[in-house]
Amino acid sequence: MQDVAERVGVSRALVSLVFRNQPGAGEATRLRVLRAADELGYRPDSAARLLARGRSRTIGVMLTLHQPFEADIVEGVYPEAERLGYDVLLSASAPGRDERKAVEALLSHRCEALILLGSRASIGRLDELGRRGAVVVVGRTARGAHVDSVHTAESKGVGQVVSHLVALGHRDIAHVDGGRETGAAERRRAYRAAMRRHRLTEWIRVLPGAYDEESGSAAGRLLLAGERLPTAVFAGNDRSAMGLMHTLARAGVEVPGEVSVVGYDDNHLSHLSHIDLSTVRQDAVRLAEHAVRFVVERLADTALAPREAVLDPRLVVRGTSSPPAPDRPER
Protein backbone atom coordinates (compact mmCIF):
# COMPACT_ATOMS: atom_id res chain seq x y z
CA MET A 1 0.00 0.00 0.00
CA GLN A 2 2.92 2.32 0.68
CA ASP A 3 4.17 1.80 -2.90
CA VAL A 4 0.72 2.64 -4.28
CA ALA A 5 0.50 5.73 -2.06
CA GLU A 6 3.88 6.99 -3.27
CA ARG A 7 2.95 6.39 -6.91
CA VAL A 8 -0.26 8.43 -6.55
CA GLY A 9 1.10 11.02 -4.12
CA VAL A 10 -1.41 10.39 -1.33
CA SER A 11 -1.22 8.93 2.18
CA ARG A 12 -1.16 5.22 2.93
CA ALA A 13 -4.29 5.70 5.04
CA LEU A 14 -6.16 7.07 2.02
CA VAL A 15 -5.08 4.07 -0.07
CA SER A 16 -6.40 1.79 2.69
CA LEU A 17 -9.78 3.55 2.56
CA VAL A 18 -9.98 3.01 -1.19
CA PHE A 19 -9.11 -0.68 -0.92
CA ARG A 20 -11.72 -1.14 1.79
CA ASN A 21 -14.28 0.80 -0.26
CA GLN A 22 -14.77 3.29 2.57
CA PRO A 23 -15.72 6.98 2.13
CA GLY A 24 -12.96 9.62 2.29
CA ALA A 25 -11.52 9.68 -1.22
CA GLY A 26 -12.94 11.49 -4.25
CA GLU A 27 -13.84 9.52 -7.34
CA ALA A 28 -10.88 10.79 -9.34
CA THR A 29 -8.45 9.89 -6.54
CA ARG A 30 -10.05 6.49 -6.10
CA LEU A 31 -9.57 5.71 -9.79
CA ARG A 32 -5.95 6.88 -9.68
CA VAL A 33 -5.28 4.62 -6.68
CA LEU A 34 -6.86 1.59 -8.36
CA ARG A 35 -4.97 2.28 -11.60
CA ALA A 36 -1.67 2.55 -9.73
CA ALA A 37 -2.40 -0.68 -7.84
CA ASP A 38 -3.05 -2.44 -11.12
CA GLU A 39 0.16 -1.08 -12.66
CA LEU A 40 2.19 -2.23 -9.64
CA GLY A 41 0.53 -5.65 -9.56
CA TYR A 42 -0.75 -5.05 -6.02
CA ARG A 43 -3.24 -7.49 -4.53
CA PRO A 44 -4.79 -6.91 -1.10
CA ASP A 45 -3.59 -9.48 1.43
CA SER A 46 -6.92 -10.82 2.64
CA ALA A 47 -5.21 -13.34 4.94
CA ALA A 48 -3.29 -10.62 6.75
CA ARG A 49 -6.45 -8.54 7.03
CA LEU A 50 -8.37 -11.44 8.57
CA LEU A 51 -5.56 -12.25 10.98
CA ALA A 52 -5.61 -8.64 12.14
CA ARG A 53 -9.20 -9.30 13.16
CA GLY A 54 -8.20 -12.50 14.94
CA ARG A 55 -9.54 -14.84 12.21
CA SER A 56 -7.99 -16.64 9.28
CA ARG A 57 -11.23 -18.13 7.89
CA THR A 58 -9.13 -20.95 6.49
CA ILE A 59 -9.90 -24.66 6.67
CA GLY A 60 -6.89 -26.95 6.55
CA VAL A 61 -7.31 -30.28 4.76
CA MET A 62 -4.87 -33.13 5.31
CA LEU A 63 -4.87 -35.75 2.58
CA THR A 64 -2.78 -38.71 1.45
CA LEU A 65 -0.90 -38.45 -1.82
CA HIS A 66 -1.84 -40.90 -4.58
CA GLN A 67 -5.32 -41.65 -3.21
CA PRO A 68 -7.75 -40.69 -6.01
CA PHE A 69 -10.80 -40.92 -3.75
CA GLU A 70 -9.35 -38.36 -1.34
CA ALA A 71 -8.75 -36.05 -4.30
CA ASP A 72 -12.43 -36.50 -5.19
CA ILE A 73 -13.37 -35.39 -1.66
CA VAL A 74 -11.11 -32.32 -1.88
CA GLU A 75 -12.92 -31.30 -5.07
CA GLY A 76 -16.12 -31.24 -3.02
CA VAL A 77 -14.54 -29.32 -0.13
CA TYR A 78 -13.64 -26.24 -2.18
CA PRO A 79 -17.12 -25.12 -3.35
CA GLU A 80 -18.75 -25.77 0.03
CA ALA A 81 -16.01 -23.87 1.88
CA GLU A 82 -16.25 -20.98 -0.58
CA ARG A 83 -20.03 -20.89 -0.19
CA LEU A 84 -19.59 -20.50 3.56
CA GLY A 85 -16.86 -17.86 3.23
CA TYR A 86 -13.76 -19.94 3.94
CA ASP A 87 -10.50 -20.55 2.11
CA VAL A 88 -8.90 -24.00 1.92
CA LEU A 89 -5.28 -24.96 2.53
CA LEU A 90 -3.97 -28.45 1.69
CA SER A 91 -1.20 -30.44 3.34
CA ALA A 92 -0.30 -33.99 2.32
CA SER A 93 1.14 -36.94 4.16
CA ALA A 94 3.58 -38.98 2.08
CA PRO A 95 6.62 -41.22 2.47
CA GLY A 96 9.06 -39.18 4.56
CA ARG A 97 6.32 -36.80 5.71
CA ASP A 98 4.02 -38.37 8.24
CA GLU A 99 0.54 -37.32 9.28
CA ARG A 100 1.75 -35.38 12.32
CA LYS A 101 3.98 -33.16 10.16
CA ALA A 102 1.19 -32.60 7.65
CA VAL A 103 -1.23 -31.52 10.40
CA GLU A 104 1.26 -29.30 12.22
CA ALA A 105 2.00 -27.50 8.94
CA LEU A 106 -1.68 -26.60 8.66
CA LEU A 107 -1.81 -25.38 12.25
CA SER A 108 1.34 -23.30 11.74
CA HIS A 109 -0.43 -21.54 8.88
CA ARG A 110 -3.20 -20.59 11.33
CA CYS A 111 -5.95 -22.76 9.92
CA GLU A 112 -9.03 -22.33 12.07
CA ALA A 113 -10.29 -25.84 11.46
CA LEU A 114 -9.01 -29.19 10.19
CA ILE A 115 -10.51 -31.82 7.91
CA LEU A 116 -8.49 -35.03 8.09
CA LEU A 117 -8.74 -37.47 5.18
CA GLY A 118 -7.31 -40.95 5.57
CA SER A 119 -6.17 -40.28 9.13
CA ARG A 120 -4.57 -43.15 11.05
CA ALA A 121 -4.11 -41.10 14.21
CA SER A 122 -4.95 -42.68 17.53
CA ILE A 123 -8.08 -41.65 19.41
CA GLY A 124 -5.82 -39.92 21.95
CA ARG A 125 -4.10 -37.88 19.24
CA LEU A 126 -7.43 -36.96 17.64
CA ASP A 127 -8.79 -35.90 21.01
CA GLU A 128 -5.73 -33.70 21.55
CA LEU A 129 -6.28 -32.01 18.18
CA GLY A 130 -10.00 -31.62 18.89
CA ARG A 131 -9.24 -29.81 22.14
CA ARG A 132 -7.09 -27.34 20.18
CA GLY A 133 -9.70 -26.50 17.55
CA ALA A 134 -12.46 -27.66 15.23
CA VAL A 135 -11.59 -31.04 13.70
CA VAL A 136 -13.50 -33.54 11.57
CA VAL A 137 -12.17 -36.90 10.40
CA VAL A 138 -13.50 -38.33 7.15
CA GLY A 139 -13.70 -42.03 6.37
CA ARG A 140 -13.60 -43.49 9.89
CA THR A 141 -15.23 -43.37 13.28
CA ALA A 142 -13.61 -41.40 16.10
CA ARG A 143 -15.69 -42.28 19.13
CA GLY A 144 -13.99 -41.21 22.33
CA ALA A 145 -12.29 -38.17 20.79
CA HIS A 146 -13.53 -34.59 20.88
CA VAL A 147 -13.87 -34.44 17.09
CA ASP A 148 -16.64 -34.87 14.55
CA SER A 149 -16.59 -37.69 12.00
CA VAL A 150 -18.10 -38.33 8.60
CA HIS A 151 -18.00 -41.72 6.94
CA THR A 152 -19.93 -44.25 4.90
CA ALA A 153 -21.79 -47.16 6.48
CA GLU A 154 -19.06 -49.71 5.74
CA SER A 155 -21.11 -52.74 6.79
CA LYS A 156 -23.90 -51.83 4.38
CA GLY A 157 -21.52 -51.35 1.48
CA VAL A 158 -19.66 -54.60 2.07
CA GLY A 159 -22.94 -56.43 2.63
CA GLN A 160 -24.11 -55.22 -0.78
CA VAL A 161 -20.91 -56.60 -2.37
CA VAL A 162 -21.22 -60.06 -0.87
CA SER A 163 -24.97 -60.26 -1.55
CA HIS A 164 -24.36 -59.22 -5.17
CA LEU A 165 -21.71 -61.89 -5.68
CA VAL A 166 -23.77 -64.58 -3.93
CA ALA A 167 -26.79 -63.70 -6.10
CA LEU A 168 -24.58 -64.21 -9.16
CA GLY A 169 -23.78 -67.71 -7.90
CA HIS A 170 -20.42 -67.19 -6.18
CA ARG A 171 -19.47 -68.94 -2.97
CA ASP A 172 -15.67 -68.86 -3.05
CA ILE A 173 -15.30 -65.13 -2.36
CA ALA A 174 -11.95 -63.86 -1.04
CA HIS A 175 -11.16 -60.46 0.46
CA VAL A 176 -7.99 -58.39 -0.05
CA ASP A 177 -7.61 -56.59 3.27
CA GLY A 178 -6.75 -52.90 3.64
CA GLY A 179 -4.35 -53.40 6.55
CA ARG A 180 -4.14 -50.30 8.76
CA GLU A 181 -5.82 -48.02 6.24
CA THR A 182 -8.88 -45.94 7.07
CA GLY A 183 -12.02 -48.06 7.18
CA ALA A 184 -10.14 -51.31 6.52
CA ALA A 185 -10.95 -52.93 9.86
CA GLU A 186 -14.66 -52.19 9.40
CA ARG A 187 -14.63 -53.63 5.86
CA ARG A 188 -12.81 -56.74 7.03
CA ARG A 189 -15.30 -57.32 9.85
CA ALA A 190 -18.23 -56.67 7.51
CA TYR A 191 -16.90 -59.17 4.95
CA ARG A 192 -16.62 -61.91 7.58
CA ALA A 193 -20.08 -61.11 8.93
CA ALA A 194 -21.67 -61.09 5.47
CA MET A 195 -20.06 -64.40 4.52
CA ARG A 196 -21.35 -65.96 7.76
CA ARG A 197 -24.79 -64.49 7.11
CA HIS A 198 -24.87 -66.26 3.75
CA ARG A 199 -23.65 -69.50 5.41
CA LEU A 200 -20.32 -69.34 3.62
CA THR A 201 -18.09 -69.45 6.69
CA GLU A 202 -15.88 -72.22 5.24
CA TRP A 203 -15.12 -70.02 2.21
CA ILE A 204 -13.86 -67.01 4.19
CA ARG A 205 -10.38 -66.06 3.02
CA VAL A 206 -8.64 -62.77 3.92
CA LEU A 207 -5.41 -61.82 2.16
CA PRO A 208 -3.08 -59.13 3.56
CA GLY A 209 -3.11 -55.83 1.71
CA ALA A 210 -3.34 -52.04 1.74
CA TYR A 211 -5.02 -49.33 -0.31
CA ASP A 212 -2.64 -49.35 -3.28
CA GLU A 213 -2.02 -51.19 -6.53
CA GLU A 214 1.05 -53.04 -5.28
CA SER A 215 -0.91 -54.67 -2.45
CA GLY A 216 -3.52 -55.80 -4.95
CA SER A 217 -0.81 -57.20 -7.19
CA ALA A 218 0.77 -59.01 -4.23
CA ALA A 219 -2.60 -60.52 -3.33
CA GLY A 220 -2.99 -61.65 -6.92
CA ARG A 221 0.38 -63.40 -6.81
CA LEU A 222 -0.62 -65.17 -3.59
CA LEU A 223 -3.85 -66.37 -5.17
CA LEU A 224 -2.08 -67.58 -8.29
CA ALA A 225 0.41 -69.52 -6.19
CA GLY A 226 -2.34 -71.23 -4.18
CA GLU A 227 -4.17 -74.47 -4.76
CA ARG A 228 -7.26 -72.78 -6.12
CA LEU A 229 -8.38 -69.41 -7.40
CA PRO A 230 -11.53 -67.96 -5.83
CA THR A 231 -14.36 -67.27 -8.25
CA ALA A 232 -14.65 -63.72 -6.88
CA VAL A 233 -12.54 -61.22 -4.93
CA PHE A 234 -13.67 -58.20 -2.94
CA ALA A 235 -10.75 -55.75 -2.74
CA GLY A 236 -10.36 -53.26 0.10
CA ASN A 237 -10.48 -50.30 -2.28
CA ASP A 238 -10.43 -49.52 -6.00
CA ARG A 239 -6.65 -49.09 -6.24
CA SER A 240 -6.13 -52.53 -4.71
CA ALA A 241 -8.70 -53.98 -7.12
CA MET A 242 -6.88 -52.47 -10.10
CA GLY A 243 -3.55 -53.95 -9.00
CA LEU A 244 -5.21 -57.33 -8.56
CA MET A 245 -6.77 -57.22 -12.03
CA HIS A 246 -3.44 -56.26 -13.59
CA THR A 247 -1.70 -59.28 -12.07
CA LEU A 248 -4.50 -61.66 -13.01
CA ALA A 249 -4.51 -60.35 -16.59
CA ARG A 250 -0.74 -60.83 -16.93
CA ALA A 251 -1.21 -64.44 -15.80
CA GLY A 252 -3.90 -64.98 -18.43
CA VAL A 253 -6.79 -65.06 -15.96
CA GLU A 254 -9.90 -63.45 -17.40
CA VAL A 255 -11.87 -60.89 -15.34
CA PRO A 256 -14.76 -61.51 -14.89
CA GLY A 257 -14.75 -64.74 -16.94
CA GLU A 258 -12.67 -66.69 -14.41
CA VAL A 259 -12.54 -64.32 -11.41
CA SER A 260 -14.97 -61.50 -10.65
CA VAL A 261 -13.49 -58.45 -8.90
CA VAL A 262 -15.29 -55.77 -6.86
CA GLY A 263 -13.67 -52.71 -5.29
CA TYR A 264 -14.67 -49.99 -2.85
CA ASP A 265 -14.81 -46.15 -3.24
CA ASP A 266 -15.86 -45.62 -6.88
CA ASN A 267 -13.04 -43.16 -7.50
CA HIS A 268 -12.96 -41.33 -10.84
CA LEU A 269 -10.59 -43.92 -12.38
CA SER A 270 -13.05 -46.77 -11.82
CA HIS A 271 -15.43 -45.28 -14.37
CA LEU A 272 -12.93 -45.54 -17.24
CA SER A 273 -14.10 -47.94 -19.94
CA HIS A 274 -10.94 -50.09 -19.90
CA ILE A 275 -11.29 -50.56 -16.10
CA ASP A 276 -15.10 -50.64 -15.77
CA LEU A 277 -14.86 -51.71 -12.14
CA SER A 278 -17.81 -52.93 -10.10
CA THR A 279 -17.43 -51.11 -6.80
CA VAL A 280 -19.14 -49.55 -3.80
CA ARG A 281 -19.81 -45.87 -4.35
CA GLN A 282 -19.02 -43.48 -1.54
CA ASP A 283 -20.49 -40.05 -2.29
CA ALA A 284 -17.36 -37.88 -2.18
CA VAL A 285 -19.27 -34.62 -2.60
CA ARG A 286 -21.69 -35.32 0.25
CA LEU A 287 -18.84 -36.45 2.51
CA ALA A 288 -17.06 -33.18 1.75
CA GLU A 289 -20.14 -31.04 2.34
CA HIS A 290 -20.84 -32.68 5.70
CA ALA A 291 -17.22 -32.27 6.76
CA VAL A 292 -17.10 -28.56 5.90
CA ARG A 293 -20.42 -27.84 7.59
CA PHE A 294 -19.37 -29.71 10.72
CA VAL A 295 -16.19 -27.68 11.23
CA VAL A 296 -17.89 -24.37 10.43
CA GLU A 297 -20.68 -25.13 12.91
CA ARG A 298 -18.13 -26.10 15.55
CA LEU A 299 -16.26 -22.84 15.02
CA ALA A 300 -19.53 -21.06 15.77
CA ASP A 301 -20.27 -23.20 18.83
CA THR A 302 -17.29 -24.87 20.48
CA ALA A 303 -19.56 -26.45 23.13
CA LEU A 304 -21.16 -28.83 20.62
CA ALA A 305 -20.89 -32.50 21.54
CA PRO A 306 -18.98 -34.65 19.02
CA ARG A 307 -21.17 -35.58 16.05
CA GLU A 308 -21.05 -38.43 13.56
CA ALA A 309 -22.58 -38.44 10.09
CA VAL A 310 -22.99 -41.86 8.47
CA LEU A 311 -23.86 -41.85 4.78
CA ASP A 312 -25.35 -44.73 2.82
CA PRO A 313 -23.14 -46.36 0.17
CA ARG A 314 -24.38 -47.78 -3.13
CA LEU A 315 -23.08 -50.73 -5.10
CA VAL A 316 -22.31 -49.81 -8.72
CA VAL A 317 -22.28 -52.91 -10.93
CA ARG A 318 -20.07 -52.65 -13.99
CA GLY A 319 -18.12 -55.08 -16.12
CA THR A 320 -15.83 -56.83 -13.62
CA SER A 321 -18.46 -58.98 -11.93
CA SER A 322 -20.50 -61.77 -13.53
CA PRO A 323 -21.73 -65.28 -12.70
CA PRO A 324 -18.94 -67.83 -12.20
CA ALA A 325 -18.04 -69.83 -15.28
CA PRO A 326 -19.40 -73.40 -14.98
CA ASP A 327 -16.42 -74.77 -16.85
CA ARG A 328 -13.69 -72.60 -15.39
CA PRO A 329 -10.25 -74.11 -16.16
CA GLU A 330 -8.23 -75.56 -13.31
CA ARG A 331 -5.13 -73.60 -12.29
Side-chain angles (χ1 to χ4, degrees), residues 224-235:
L224 290 165
E227 294 182 2
R228 73 176 196 276
L229 278 175
T231 62
V233 180
F234 162 50

Side-chain angles (χ1 to χ4, degrees), residues 13 40 42 78 80 84 102 109 131 142 169 171 184-185 224 226 249 276 285 298 300 313-314 317:
L40 292 169
Y42 172 81
Y78 276 106
E80 184 67 7
L84 295 173
H109 283 84
R131 303 291 175 183
R171 292 187 303 160
L224 290 165
D276 200 29
V285 172
R298 185 162 294 284
R314 179 170 63 87
V317 178

Side-chain angles (χ1 to χ4, degrees), residues 76-331:
V77 166
Y78 276 106
E80 184 67 7
E82 183 177 347
R83 185 182 74 82
L84 295 173
Y86 285 79
D87 288 328
V88 176
L89 186 65
L90 304 180
S91 183
S93 61
R97 189 174 195 258
D98 63 18
E99 180 176 330
R100 185 177 290 270
K101 286 183 180 178
V103 169
E104 290 301 327
L106 293 171
L107 295 174
S108 70
H109 283 84
R110 306 203 183 191
C111 292
E112 288 189 355
L114 298 176
I115 295 175
L116 307 181
L117 309 181
S119 174
R120 298 182 183 180
S122 67
I123 292 298
R125 169 63 175 163
L126 291 176
D127 188 62
E128 174 194 340
L129 289 172
R131 303 291 175 183
R132 294 167 66 180
V135 177
V136 61
V137 292
V138 179
R140 60 173 283 191
T141 61
R143 298 183 186 98
H146 192 72
V147 301
D148 298 316
S149 64
V150 181
H151 61 94
T152 299
E154 308 284 357
S155 60
K156 286 186 180 180
V158 177
Q160 289 173 20
V161 171
V162 175
S163 293
H164 164 65
L165 293 171
V166 169
L168 289 174
H170 294 277
R171 292 187 303 160
D172 191 352
I173 305 166
H175 173 48
V176 181
D177 187 26
R180 296 181 57 246
E181 304 282 3
T182 303
E186 289 83 357
R187 293 173 199 179
R188 180 170 59 250
R189 284 194 293 268
Y191 159 76
R192 292 182 183 277
M195 292 290 282
R196 287 193 293 267
R197 197 161 53 245
H198 287 281
R199 300 180 180 178
L200 298 174
T201 302
E202 68 272 24
W203 296 99
I204 291 174
R205 188 168 17 158
V206 177
L207 293 88
Y211 287 172
D212 55 45
E213 292 83 359
E214 177 51 39
S215 71
S217 293
R221 291 191 292 271
L222 278 176
L223 290 174
L224 290 165
E227 294 182 2
R228 73 176 196 276
L229 278 175
T231 62
V233 180
F234 162 50
N237 80 335
D238 291 350
R239 287 184 65 193
S240 175
M242 291 173 196
L244 171 67
M245 290 192 296
H246 175 72
T247 294
L248 293 177
R250 291 192 65 178
V253 178
E254 294 183 1
V255 175
E258 297 179 58
V259 178
S260 288
V261 177
V262 181
Y264 202 107
D265 280 346
D266 196 27
N267 70 50
H268 59 273
L269 298 177
S270 304
H271 308 185
L272 299 178
S273 59
H274 68 283
I275 297 175
D276 200 29
L277 179 65
S278 293
T279 184
V280 175
R281 183 173 191 268
Q282 298 194 82
D283 192 328
V285 172
R286 287 187 62 214
L287 288 169
E289 290 172 349
H290 274 77
V292 173
R293 287 199 290 270
F294 269 6
V295 292
V296 170
E297 289 166 4
R298 185 162 294 284
L299 286 170
D301 184 0
T302 58
L304 285 172
R307 296 161 297 169
E308 181 178 13
V310 184
L311 307 186
D312 283 333
R314 179 170 63 87
L315 178 67
V316 179
V317 178
R318 297 194 180 98
T320 61
S321 57
S322 70
D327 54 350
R328 191 177 70 160
E330 293 296 324
R331 291 186 181 272

